[in-house]
C-alpha cells in the first residue's frame, strides 16, 4: 500500500481486481445464502455496502484514538452499531427484505469483508480514502451477489428480478407501474420446459459459486494473475490462529488478542502458507 | 419431547446448519482439509454454541424486559467474544489437555457466523430455554457431521485429476454442492417419523 494512491484506483480495485467475493473469497456465507433471487442479492449488497462505508468512515476517523490492543473489539462494536441501524431501517421501510434475508441481515456483523477492510484499510488510511475503498468493495460485493443471483434465479426459478417492487416499496407502492420482474415460466412451459429447481436449492448455490470462481480464475490466469485461494483468513484479524491451524496445529499461534505480532507476522505467514500449498499441489 | 427430537434431527440432517442454511462456510471450506482439524474445530464450535446459547438466553430476556431489543446484535456479539476469551483462559489454567486440543480453534470462533447465527435464530424462533439448547446442540452436531463428511470427501479428491481451471477452491465448492445434494435425501424424514 506504499505506492501512490489515487481515489479512482481505490474505488475500482474492489470491483474486479480485488473483488471481495470472487477474488478474495470473503463473505461466502451471505453470498451462498441470499442469492436465490437477484432482488435479495441487491438488498443484501446495498445493506452491506452501507455498513461497510459507514464503518470504514468511523473507524478511519477514530483510528488514532482506538488503542491497538483493543482494536478488534472496538471495530466489532462500531460495525455492530451500524448493522443495528441498517437493520432497523430495513425493518421499517423494506419489511419484505427483512423477511427474505432473515438472520443474515444482523449477521453482516461477522461478515469478513467488513472487519477485513477495517483492519486492512480503514485503520491505516484517511477518512476519504477509506470511504471510497468501502464503496468500491461494497459495489464489488453487490455485483458478485447479483451475478450469482442472476444465474440461480433464471435457471432455478425461471424469473428475473422477481419481487423488485418489494425492494422499491421505499419509493412508493407503484413506482414501476405494476411491473414486478420478468417471468419466463409461461414461455418455458409452452415448449415443455421447466426451471431447474436445484439451482435455488443450497446445492445449486455451491455449484454456481464453484463455476463462477473457476471462470474468474480462468480469466485471471489469462492475465497472468494468481488463482483465488481461500486466503480469506489472511484478511481477517484472526489470521494468525487460522494459519497456524492449517499448518500443523501448534498452540502458540493465537492472534485474536489484538497483539501487534499478529499484524507484523501476517505477511510472511501468508507466504509460508502459499509455499506450503504449492508444495502440496506438486 | 417429540418436538425436541424433531429439532435435533432438523439441525443434524434436514436443515443442516452448514449445507442447507449456509452458516459457517468459512471454516467448512478452510478447516476441513484434515480429519483431526475438522473434528477439533467442530468440537470447539459445539461447546461455544451451547455456552453462548445458555449465556444469551437470560440476557435476551433482560433486554426484552427493558425494551432494549434493538441492542440484541451488539450485545450478543460482545457476549460471544467475551465468552470465547473466558473459555480460553479457563481452559488454559485448569484443563491443559483440553486446551491443547481445542485452544487454537477458539479465537476463530468469535467471528464465525455459525455461533452468532444460532443465537439469533433461537431469538427469532422464540424458543424456550430447553428448545434453544437442543436447537444449538443440533446445529453444532450438524456442523460436525458436515465437516467430518467433507474432510473425507476432500481426502478422496486429493487423488483425483482435476482440470486446471477447476483446481483448488472451485472443485471444492462443486464437491460441497454434491454433499449438500445428498442431504436433500433426508427431506421429509421428520414427517415420516411422525415427529411433527
Amino acid at each position: 500500500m506504499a505506492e501512490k494512491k489515487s481515489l479512482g484506483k481505490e474505488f475500482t480495485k474492489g470491483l474486479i481486481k480485488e473483488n471481495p467475493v470472487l477474488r478474495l473469497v470473503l463473505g461466502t456465507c451471505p453470498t451462498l445464502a441470499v442469492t436465490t433471487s437477484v432482488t435479495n442479492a441487491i438488498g443484501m449488497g446495498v445493506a452491506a455496502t452501507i455498513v461497510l462505508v459507514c464503518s470504514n468512515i468511523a473507524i478511519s476517523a477514530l483510528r488514532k484514538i482506538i488503542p491497538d490492543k483493543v482494536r478488534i473489539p472496538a471495530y466489532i462494536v462500531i460495525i455492530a452499531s451500524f448493522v443495528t441501524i441498517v437493520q432497523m431501517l430495513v425493518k421499517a421501510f423494506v419489511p419484505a427484505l427483512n423477511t427474505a434475508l432473515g438472520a443474515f441481515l444482523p449477521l453482516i456483523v461477522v461478515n469478513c469483508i467488513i472487519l477485513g477492510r477495517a483492519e486492512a484499510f480503514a485503520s491505516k488510511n484517511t477518512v476519504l480514502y477509506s470511504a471510497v475503498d468501502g464503496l468500491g468493495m461494497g459495489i464489488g460485493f453487490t455485483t458478485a451477489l447479483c451475478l450469482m443471483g442472476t444465474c440461480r434465479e433464471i435457471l432455478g426459478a425461471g424469473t428475473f428480478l422477481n419481487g423488485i417492487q418489494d425492494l422499491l416499496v421505499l419509493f412508493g407502492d407503484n413506482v414501476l407501474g405494476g411491473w414486478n420482474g420478468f417471468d419466463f415460466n409461461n414461455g418455458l412451459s409452452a415448449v415443455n420446459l421447466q426451471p431447474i429447481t436445484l439451482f435455488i436449492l443450497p446445492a445449486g448455490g455451491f455449484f454456481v459459486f464453484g463455476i463462477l470462481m473457476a471462470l474468474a480464475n480462468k480469466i485471471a490466469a489469462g492475465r497472468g494473475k494468481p488463482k483465488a485461494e481461500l486466503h480469506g483468513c489472511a484478511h481477517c484479524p484472526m489470521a494468525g490462529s487460522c494459519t497456524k491451524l492449517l499448518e500443523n496445529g501448534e498452540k502458540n499461534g493465537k492472534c485474536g488478542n489484538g497483539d501487534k505480532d499478529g499484524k507484523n507476522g501476517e505477511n510472511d505467514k501468508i507466504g509460508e502458507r502459499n509455499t506450503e500449498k504449492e508444495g502440496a499441489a506438486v | 419431547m417429540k418436538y425436541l427430537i424433531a429439532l435435533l434431527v432438523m439441525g443434524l440432517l434436514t436443515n443442516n446448519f452448514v449445507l442447507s442454511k449456509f452458516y459457517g462456510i468459512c471454516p467448512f471450506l478452510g478447516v476441513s482439509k484434515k480429519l483431526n482439524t475438522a473434528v477439533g474445530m467442530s468440537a470447539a464450535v459445539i461447546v461455544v454454541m451451547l455456552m453462548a446459547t445458555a449465556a444469551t438466553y437470560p440476557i435476551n430476556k433482560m433486554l426484552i424486559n427493558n425494551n432494549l431489543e434493538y441492542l440484541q446484535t451488539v450485545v450478543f456479539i460482545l457476549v460471544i467474544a467475551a465468552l470465547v476469551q473466558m473459555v480460553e483462559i479457563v481452559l488454559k489454567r485448569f484443563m491443559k489437555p483440553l486446551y491443547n486440543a481445542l485452544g487454537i480453534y477458539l479465537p476463530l470462533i468469535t467471528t464465525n457466523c455459525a455461533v452468532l447465527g444460532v443465537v439469533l435464530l433461537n431469538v427469532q424462533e422464540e424458543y424456550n430455554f430447553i428448545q434453544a439448547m437442543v436447537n444449538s446442540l443440533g446445529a453444532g452436531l450438524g456442523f460436525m457431521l458436515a465437516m467430518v463428511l467433507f474432510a473425507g470427501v476432500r481426502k478422496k479428491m486429493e487423488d483425483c485429476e482435476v482440470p486446471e481451471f477447476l483446481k483448488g477452491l472451485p472443485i471444492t465448492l462443486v464437491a460441497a454442492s454434491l454433499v449438500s445434494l445428498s442431504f436433500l435425501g433426508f427431506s421429509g424424514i421428520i414427517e415420516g417419523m411422525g415427529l411433527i
Side-chain angles (χ1 to χ4, degrees):
Chain A
M1 300 243 176
E3 76 233 45
K4 230 180 357 179
K5 276 182 274 187
S6 77
L7 277 179
K9 231 181 181 176
E10 295 302 335
F11 179 69
T12 49
K13 75 166 190 264
L15 300 183
I16 295 165
K17 214 173 85 195
E18 289 184 30
N19 186 293
V21 178
L22 292 172
R23 300 295 300 149
L24 303 181
V25 205
L26 295 170
T28 41
C29 299
T31 306
L32 289 163
V34 305
T35 50
T36 48
S37 76
V38 185
T39 314
N40 288 351
I42 296 172
M44 179 73 198
V46 171
T49 306
I50 295 171
V51 175
L52 189 51
V53 172
C54 294
S55 68
N56 259 10
I57 290 173
I59 287 165
S60 128
L62 294 170
R63 69 186 188 281
K64 288 181 182 139
I65 304 170
I66 298 174
D68 212 39
K69 279 207 161 137
V70 294
R71 65 180 197 284
I72 302 293
Y75 296 165
I76 291 181
V77 174
I78 292 171
I79 295 169
S81 315
F82 284 116
V83 169
T84 308
I85 294 170
V86 168
Q87 199 186 350
M88 288 164 94
L89 289 174
V90 169
K91 258 185 197 160
F93 294 109
V94 201
L97 186 66
N98 185 49
T99 325
L101 297 184
F104 280 95
L105 196 55
L107 279 179
I108 297 177
V109 179
V110 283
N111 189 326
C112 318
I113 299 174
I114 294 169
L115 198 59
R117 288 330 283 173
E119 174 77 357
F121 198 92
S123 61
K124 301 184 190 94
N125 289 282
T126 54
V127 175
L128 183 61
Y129 280 103
S130 302
V132 171
D133 173 78
L135 191 63
M137 284 287 166
I139 293 175
F141 180 59
T142 315
T143 316
L145 285 188
C146 287
L147 200 60
M148 261 193 79
T150 310
C151 296
R152 290 182 72 185
E153 194 184 342
I154 292 181
L155 289 172
T159 56
F160 182 60
L161 285 170
N162 190 21
I164 188 75
Q165 173 61 48
D166 293 337
L167 201 63
L168 297 175
V169 75
L170 187 64
F171 304 109
D173 280 336
N174 214 358
V175 69
L176 295 173
W179 184 74
N180 204 5
F182 298 99
D183 190 345
F184 312 118
N185 277 311
N186 288 335
L188 281 176
S189 54
V191 283
N192 261 336
L193 286 175
Q194 278 179 342
I196 316 162
T197 320
L198 180 71
F199 279 96
I200 50 170
L201 294 176
F206 282 115
F207 185 75
V208 172
F209 194 26
I211 297 301
L212 282 182
M213 186 84 71
L215 279 179
N217 280 349
K218 187 93 182 158
I219 294 167
R223 295 168 171 227
K225 298 270 164 54
K227 258 184 195 176
E229 287 284 356
L230 194 75
H231 53 57
C233 307
H235 292 258
C236 157
M238 309 294 170
S241 56
C242 195
T243 321
K244 277 289 168 204
L245 196 82
L246 289 167
E247 276 167 9
N248 40 20
E250 277 172 14
K251 58 183 179 295
N252 51 356
K254 283 191 305 304
C255 154
N257 306 327
D259 50 344
K260 265 191 171 168
D261 305 3
K263 229 181 192 172
N264 299 337
E266 212 170 71
N267 287 332
D268 26 4
K269 270 177 194 157
I270 302 166
E272 269 172 47
R273 237 176 88 191
N274 285 345
T275 38
E276 195 209 342
K277 270 202 177 123
E278 277 160 25
V282 173
Chain B
M1 191 61 207
K2 256 188 179 176
Y3 185 59
L4 294 183
I5 298 174
L7 272 182
L8 202 63
V9 175
M10 241 152 65
L12 201 56
L13 300 175
T14 51
N15 287 347
N16 187 284
F17 221 54
V18 180
L19 293 168
S20 67
K21 285 194 178 162
F22 297 124
Y23 294 105
I25 297 292
C26 291
F28 177 65
L29 296 175
V31 199
S32 63
K33 251 188 181 161
K34 291 194 190 108
L35 188 62
N36 55 349
T37 49
V39 173
M41 178 76 187
S42 354
V45 166
I46 295 177
V47 172
V48 174
M49 266 184 181
L50 287 175
M51 293 186 70
T53 309
T56 49
Y57 190 81
I59 293 173
N60 186 42
K61 278 272 174 287
M62 217 163 73
L63 287 179
I64 290 175
N65 286 341
N66 293 310
N67 287 325
L68 291 170
E69 286 104 325
Y70 60 89
L71 279 179
Q72 273 166 351
T73 315
V74 183
V75 170
F76 289 170
I77 186 77
L78 280 181
V79 168
I80 291 170
L83 197 73
V84 170
Q85 285 287 321
M86 267 187 324
V87 171
E88 208 184 327
I89 293 167
V90 170
L91 282 186
K92 203 173 183 177
R93 176 72 182 78
F94 296 108
M95 282 172 266
K96 202 73 185 173
L98 197 61
Y99 175 77
N100 289 345
L102 300 185
I104 44 162
Y105 307 101
L106 285 172
L108 277 178
I109 292 175
T110 318
T111 49
N112 180 343
C113 66
V115 177
L116 185 61
V118 80
V119 168
L120 288 169
L121 272 187
N122 288 336
V123 171
Q124 268 179 11
E125 302 286 328
E126 292 174 0
Y127 289 139
N128 66 29
F129 185 73
I130 308 275
Q131 286 167 343
M133 290 302 279
V134 171
N135 186 39
S136 304
L137 183 67
L141 289 175
F143 184 81
M144 184 177 236
L145 182 69
M147 290 281 278
V148 170
L149 282 180
F150 199 53
V153 172
R154 284 185 82 162
K155 203 164 170 19
K156 286 267 178 209
M157 219 160 57
E158 272 174 19
D159 306 327
C160 296
E161 289 222 10
V162 179
E164 182 57 38
F165 73 104
L166 273 174
K167 260 183 198 159
L169 207 49
I171 194 69
T172 312
L173 284 163
V174 173
S177 149
L178 293 178
V179 176
S180 162
L181 190 64
S182 70
F183 270 68
L184 271 184
F186 290 115
S187 58
I189 196 172
I190 293 181
E191 292 83 351
M193 284 161 76
L195 291 173
I196 283 183

